[in-house]
Amino acid sequence: MDIGDIRIIDAHIHQWDPFTNPREFSGTAKLMRALPLPLGLAVRLAPRRDREFVGEPSAYMGPYLPADYRADAAGVPVESVVHIEVEWTGPKAEETRWVTALPFGVDTPALAAVSGGGSPADPGFPELLDAHLSASPLVRGIRSMVAHHPDTGIRSFASGPNTLRSREFLDGFAALAERDLAFEAWVYSHQIPEVTALAQRYPETTIILNHLGTPAGIFGPVGKHTGRDAEARAGLLERWRTDIADLAACPQVVAKVSGLMMPILGHPVPRHGSPTPVPELVDRIGPLLRHAADTFGADRLVWGSNFPVDRPITSIAGSAQAVATVLTQHLGDSAPLDKIFRANAQRVYRLD
């Protein structure tokens, strides 16, 4: 199946400018610009858990804006994109305002929807939701970066475990449900049962599992001990399969076929500018995609490139082609690809 034959909504991209935005990585980017070091030396000086997460850091060291995405998506028939929040350290609604003002649709794919940042556990969450909605008519959801890993050698994005189970989070979530906004959950794979419990408590709210649950170490060793050998990786896969099947039993949950090229999954990072060949990716991600298709079905899978985060491993074309190849082979038909690459995103994000 050639991806050029389908129309695509890229349901998971990021935009940033670390020189003008308050991003988690802005300080490092500004330091690198002020005191230019060879990139290789800077990488060696960075903490190992950061190196393993980003794979190759050039995307984080400067702006990534609509024209940059257009260049990365060259040859891929992307008609529109969904922007997902990422590591904005100032008032969260300002990221929504900023990205909506970017020149999308000017020789670039259109901006179709935005998922802003915020945590239901934080005080003032209802007011934050209203600020996002006031900042842009494109807001369709909220993402919480609650990924926390018990392996201290793997970068965590939440202050501690069990965030989704906390009373503050569960009570605050009601404000999101009342506004009919979708919830984007980014977790590591051992946290998937927490997403399932949340979905069971709020069955009326659309929940979008980002990146198929990010099973760190599933393709190779990361951190201090995660995915250290074939037996450990088989155990990770088996637990992931069970937890994904349980989550898929909640009918309002959608799984994003995105982030499968994140370096933290244990991908070997190729030389800069040399994407991993598509046949290698097909073999690697195949077991995850086939199980996701079997449990969620073609009606509840949504594709996203996760660019530029996934760029160290592959191109947007390579990512889309690998996913399309696996699913066409597994489903025995290319017809469901229109749902996974376009129609499901239209429904989930309520796009006109």
Side-chain angles (χ1 to χ4, degrees), residues 11 17 79 122 125 178 181 223 277 291 293:
D17 182 350
E79 60 184 30
D122 290 342
F125 183 63
E178 289 165 1
L181 291 170
H291 185 63

Side-chain angles (χ1 to χ4, degrees), residues 192-238:
I192 293 173
E194 296 181 37
V195 182
T196 303
L198 181 67
Q200 291 168 342
R201 176 161 175 165
Y202 288 97
E204 74 282 10
T205 300
T206 297
I207 293 179
I208 305 165
L209 178 69
N210 287 184
H211 311 332
L212 291 186
T214 315
I218 198 78
F219 302 137
V222 294
K224 294 182 177 179
H225 52 74
T226 301
R228 61 186 176 276
D229 54 33
E231 182 179 2
R233 293 191 288 276
L236 282 171
L237 177 61
E238 188 57 34

Side-chain angles (χ1 to χ4, degrees), residues 62-80:
Y64 191 77
L65 300 170
D68 303 298
Y69 177 84
R70 178 188 62 204
D72 281 341
V76 183
V78 177
E79 60 184 30
S80 60

Side-chain angles (χ1 to χ4, degrees), residues 53 169 228 238 284 286 305:
F53 188 86
F169 192 99
R228 61 186 176 276
E238 188 57 34
R284 210 175 290 161
S305 70

